[in-house]
Amino acid sequence: MFTVREGGAVSDEEHLVSAAEVARLAGVGRAAVSNWRRRHPDFPEPVGGSAGTRFRLTEVERWLRAQGKLPDSGGEDTLWRAVSVGRDEGEITRLLGDVLEHLHGQPGVELPGPVRDEVERIEPAARVDVAEQLCRRHTETARRRHSATTVELAELMAELSDPHGVVLDPACGLGNALRVAAERGAERVLGQELDPDLARLAQARLRFHAPASVVAGDALRADGHADVRADVVFCEPPFGYRDWGYEELSVDRRWDYGLPVKNEPELAWLQHCLAHVRPGGLVVGLLPAAVASRRSGRLVRKELVRRGVVRAVFALPAGLLATTGIPLHLWLLRAPADDDTPMSVLLVDASDHGGRARGEADWPALRSAVLEPWRACRAGEFEPMPGRHDVVQAIDLLDEDVDLTPARHLPAPRTVVDTAELEARHRRLRQLVGPLAELLPAVTERSPEPHPTLTISELARAGALTVRQHTGRLELSDSEDAVGELVLTGRDVADGVGPTLRLAGPVEAELVHLVPGDVVVPTLVAGGTPATARVIGETGLLLGPNLHLLRVDPARLDAEFLAGYLSASRTAEASSATVSGARRLDVRRVDVPLLPVAEQRRLGRAFRAVRLFHERLREAGELADLLGRQLVDGLADGVLDVPGG
């Protein structure tokens, strides 16, 4: 039994941690924890002696420290471990609120012993930085990301609006946008957050930066700042939340631009923000791109445009947020003032500055694409750029759809064709296609002859080859800045491409370097397709996940023959099991015919010729697609011509 203190958290002495949390404590992968449990008889036993993987935190820390496996960087790292390990997300939120209030000197705040000890070590000058680091770590947990405007987006919103005076965020989450506003000169920041524990934490955090008031509750149903008229309002409303109070709020005075329909909560949030900004004040909203075009919202959009409220719409890359792949828009609104007679809207398409993975972007390029036209527009120095940005007259937006999607109204950029590059690609295509058919070996029909066979496993026991797989976790990156060794994965081999990832972190397990002549085969095969084996021809590659490595003795086995045989349809069908639409290849069960080495090499040359044929054909197809698109676009746009009448 473990004791429970007020609030439901397990007492410090009896905090329980999973194997994954033990791995995070030690900065290793979960496989390392499994190895420790097997190899070290003194590793702490699971609670109750069960087969589960929950351990007493105090015992785990004592063992890790004795083994020299517990990083002891001190300061914020140690404090974060004391706060987070053994607690769920809600408990961490509440405890962080306690920690930050304690740092403010709030009386009556009780902290668990280990947490209190670490907090007392924090120098007064470092309290703000430590508070920010703790909040950042909490935000980075996967389930918490949805409740926080990313720092990069918050900074972009602030640069568009020049926050000053009073700044409000009615769906503030942890307060990222308000913190940026405070750092840029806001005199007072106000927020509202549905989660009361998160609201308390945001309040304690923001007090380090400016006078702040964050209230708990639903801002649409229970407005916590009803009498406030701010200078700037930020808002990233909850996406896809349809239960926003349509029925009970249908006669609310905030719907000055029209009652939003039930499936348009974002337009309700925008009008809530406009009701809280002074005349001439700015509202910056981060919204799904569909808000600009859904027919159900066209009447509200029409009124916003007609009255000069919409000043700019910026299309952002899809996948900019880690939690969703939907495309986003930034809307910049200005509450009407007596001296306003706006007749146009700035539309900017910056959607092509995304990153390689969800939650990433080319931020320098994206910031430039958004801010430069806005600043030029305000300075009276704006110049339109086809396909990028333009100022569109309000009358041209007030059609039946009132579609504010930037790409809808921006003239397509003129096609630019490098004719020298075009001709070079044309020559390469001729080089590929001309001799392509000659690559295929000439074949004749013959009756199959029975041959004795051995499985890969039996060949390995006989010393004709060795079978390897990488075990353990590899931290990989596709960033252009990554400098680690190239890692070949099962996906690379299955897709017929070169390595795309590099090693990006320390590895506990042994790394396996590939050498020319190695045969690699993916462990997973897509349903309905044969396995694809590859013979390694270059150096400098590491064996990555989801790959079998077969390293042959060339005096007994020909690598090209083995790769060709493993790529046959019958091989995968006879030695794999279906797993959710894919087949897991058990390469050790594959039967290989026992042929003389000379015969293997003769067949290996034929297998290699067919493989080269496929590779060249794939390259030719990709080049044909690129060349065809350039020719069609160039001819259609009039920048290319064909000789003759």
Side-chain angles (χ1 to χ4, degrees), residues 11 93 188 200 212 246 256 276 280 322 351 438 591:
S11 70
T93 302
R188 187 159 61 104
R200 174 171 168 259
Y246 171 77
D256 194 27
H276 280 286
S351 60
E438 301 302 321
D591 287 311

Coordinates of all heavy atoms in Angstrom, one line a residue, residues 11 93 188 200 212 246 256 276 280 322 351 438 591:
S11 N 2.3 9.7 -2.1 CA 3.3 10.3 -1.3 C 4.7 10.1 -1.9 O 5.0 9.2 -2.6 CB 3.3 9.7 0.1 OG 3.8 8.4 0.1
T93 N 0.8 19.5 -13.4 CA 0.3 20.9 -13.6 C 0.0 21.5 -12.2 O 0.4 22.7 -12.0 CB -1.0 20.9 -14.4 OG1 -0.8 20.3 -15.7 CG2 -1.6 22.3 -14.6
R188 N 0.0 45.2 -19.2 CA -0.8 44.3 -18.4 C -1.3 43.2 -19.3 O -1.7 43.5 -20.4 CB -2.0 45.0 -17.7 CG -2.8 44.2 -16.7 CD -3.5 45.1 -15.8 NE -4.5 45.9 -16.5 CZ -5.8 45.8 -16.5 NH1 -6.3 44.7 -15.9 NH2 -6.6 46.6 -17.1
R200 N -4.3 28.5 -13.2 CA -3.5 28.9 -12.0 C -2.0 28.9 -12.4 O -1.3 29.8 -11.9 CB -3.8 27.9 -10.9 CG -3.0 28.1 -9.7 CD -3.5 27.3 -8.5 NE -2.6 27.2 -7.4 CZ -1.8 26.2 -7.2 NH1 -1.7 25.1 -8.0 NH2 -1.0 26.2 -6.1
A212 N -0.5 40.5 -14.2 CA -1.3 39.5 -14.9 C -2.5 39.0 -14.1 O -2.5 39.0 -12.9 CB -0.4 38.3 -15.2
Y246 N -24.0 27.6 -28.8 CA -24.8 28.2 -29.8 C -26.2 28.4 -29.3 O -26.8 29.5 -29.5 CB -24.8 27.3 -31.0 CG -25.8 27.7 -32.1 CD1 -25.6 28.7 -33.0 CD2 -27.0 27.0 -32.2 CE1 -26.5 29.1 -33.9 CE2 -27.9 27.3 -33.2 CZ -27.7 28.4 -34.1 OH -28.6 28.8 -35.0
D256 N -22.1 41.1 -33.1 CA -22.3 42.3 -33.9 C -22.2 42.2 -35.4 O -22.7 43.0 -36.1 CB -21.2 43.4 -33.4 CG -21.6 44.8 -33.8 OD1 -22.8 45.1 -34.0 OD2 -20.7 45.6 -34.0
H276 N -13.9 42.7 -27.2 CA -13.0 43.0 -26.1 C -11.8 43.9 -26.5 O -10.8 44.0 -25.8 CB -12.4 41.7 -25.5 CG -13.4 41.1 -24.6 ND1 -13.7 41.5 -23.3 CD2 -14.2 40.0 -24.7 CE1 -14.6 40.8 -22.7 NE2 -14.9 39.8 -23.6
G280 N -10.0 50.7 -33.0 CA -8.7 50.8 -33.6 C -7.7 49.7 -33.1 O -6.6 49.6 -33.6
A322 N 2.2 20.5 -34.2 CA 2.6 19.1 -34.0 C 1.4 18.2 -33.8 O 1.5 17.0 -34.1 CB 3.5 19.0 -32.8
S351 N 2.2 29.4 -47.6 CA 2.0 28.0 -47.2 C 3.1 27.1 -47.7 O 3.1 25.9 -47.3 CB 0.7 27.6 -47.9 OG 0.7 27.7 -49.3
E438 N 18.1 -2.9 -73.4 CA 19.3 -3.8 -73.6 C 19.8 -4.3 -72.3 O 20.6 -5.2 -72.2 CB 20.4 -3.0 -74.3 CG 19.9 -2.5 -75.7 CD 19.5 -3.6 -76.6 OE1 20.1 -4.7 -76.6 OE2 18.5 -3.4 -77.4
D591 N 14.4 -20.8 -47.8 CA 15.2 -21.9 -48.4 C 16.0 -21.3 -49.5 O 15.4 -20.7 -50.4 CB 14.3 -23.0 -48.8 CG 13.7 -23.8 -47.7 OD1 14.5 -24.2 -46.8 OD2 12.5 -24.0 -47.7

